[in-house]
Amino acid sequence: MNILHLDSSPLTQNSSSRRLSRAIVDEICRHFPQATITYRDLGRNPPAHLSEDTFLALIKGAASDAQTEREVAAIHRSIDELRRCDAVVIGAPMFNHSVTSQLKAWIDQVCQAKITFSFTSAGAVGLLEDKPVFIASTRGGIYATSAQREMDHQEPYLQATLRLMGLNNSHIIRAEGVDKNNPGRERSENNALNDIPALIQKVLL
Ligand SMILES: Cc1cc2nc3c(=O)[nH]c(=O)nc-3n(C[C@H](O)[C@H](O)[C@H](O)COP(=O)(O)O)c2cc1C
């Protein structure tokens, strides 16, 4: 079992998404003690934003300078990590109704036409082999009503980009109301933590 573990909160102190993603990885490792983990802290070390030079170098297969060459290599490494793992765990907090820009930068690395998906006459087709993806989703608000759900461009967006690449088997562990000043925050986090064993059991065992 090879696990790709991504965290994308730029916050490290009392980070709910980091706590939940870690707990998901720990639970997988409890069942698969030989598991290997590739960890990427996108929150602390965000991928470079996709530049024109890098985009063109990816298409042509040749970079014009050392910086572009490094960025192209980083993109191929991220795609390889995603392609080679057996399960993905993503810590994904909501920032301004979407994912963090750090996670968006990773998505812009790995969602590449002709590499992880292709356009066909029948629409886009994912090129990655399907595998389970566990998303630790956290947000300060509550998105239960349909009006609030319309403002959720975090979970539907993330799951749609995963599907684009052929990853149809994504699962959400969610803690809502985890605003740093909300006294109910701990309860919400604990509820999400409690959901993890049953989800791992259902999906992986
Ligand atoms: C810059 C910023 C923007 C945020 N935007 C939203 C938002 O649009 N909706 C929401 O419900 N919570 C929002 N939050 C709250 C976070 O989603 C919540 O605190 C989450 O737990 C942060 O993840 P972390 O604890 O892993 O750092 C925002 C927090 C920050 C710091």
Side-chain angles (χ1 to χ4, degrees):
M1 166 70 71
N2 298 314
I3 305 167
L4 175 60
H5 178 191
L6 308 172
D7 272 323
S8 64
S9 177
L11 311 176
T12 57
Q13 313 228 339
N14 291 323
S15 162
S16 304
S17 61
R18 285 171 183 273
R19 190 167 301 146
L20 293 180
S21 74
R22 177 80 260 159
I24 295 169
V25 171
D26 287 349
E27 183 64 15
I28 298 174
C29 290
R30 205 167 67 78
H31 293 286
F32 299 91
Q34 312 296 330
T36 59
I37 302 164
T38 300
Y39 180 62
R40 295 285 165 216
D41 191 337
L42 307 172
R44 276 190 182 160
N45 305 300
H49 282 141
L50 194 63
S51 68
E52 182 174 30
D53 285 348
T54 304
F55 180 68
L56 293 175
L58 265 171
I59 294 169
K60 290 183 198 146
S64 53
D65 60 80
Q67 174 66 18
T68 307
E69 204 169 285
R70 275 195 296 276
E71 289 180 13
V72 169
I75 288 173
H76 284 301
R77 192 196 62 191
S78 294
I79 291 171
D80 279 352
E81 288 172 350
L82 184 58
R83 188 179 278 137
R84 280 208 299 262
C85 68
D86 303 303
V88 188
V89 178
I90 308 178
M94 178 185 279
F95 269 24
N96 299 313
H97 300 292
S98 185
V99 297
T100 63
S101 59
Q102 288 84 349
L103 181 54
K104 177 66 166 64
W106 178 83
I107 289 168
D108 290 344
Q109 280 194 315
V110 297
C111 273
Q112 295 289 346
K114 298 189 180 153
I115 304 178
T116 52
F117 72 94
S118 67
F119 291 113
T120 71
S121 52
V125 174
L127 297 178
L128 292 181
E129 203 178 299
D130 203 2
K131 61 190 80 184
V133 181
F134 300 95
I135 299 169
S137 164
T138 59
R139 47 268 197 99
I142 310 278
Y143 292 80
T145 68
S146 59
Q148 288 157 332
R149 271 200 297 278
E150 274 179 27
M151 296 306 289
D152 178 3
H153 306 290
Q154 170 212 13
E155 292 179 4
Y157 163 71
L158 186 48
Q159 291 190 297
T161 56
L162 293 168
R163 277 196 301 275
L164 173 68
M165 297 184 284
L167 304 178
N168 299 302
N169 184 13
S170 66
H171 306 270
I172 292 181
I173 288 288
R174 179 184 306 118
E176 294 196 308
V178 287
D179 182 87
K180 305 285 182 235
N181 301 315
N182 179 358
R185 177 179 169 210
E186 205 172 316
R187 192 176 57 241
S188 180
E189 250 184 54
N190 286 339
N191 287 342
L193 287 170
N194 288 338
D195 289 341
I196 292 172
L199 178 64
I200 298 302
Q201 175 84 30
K202 188 177 87 173
V203 177
L204 291 183
L205 302 174

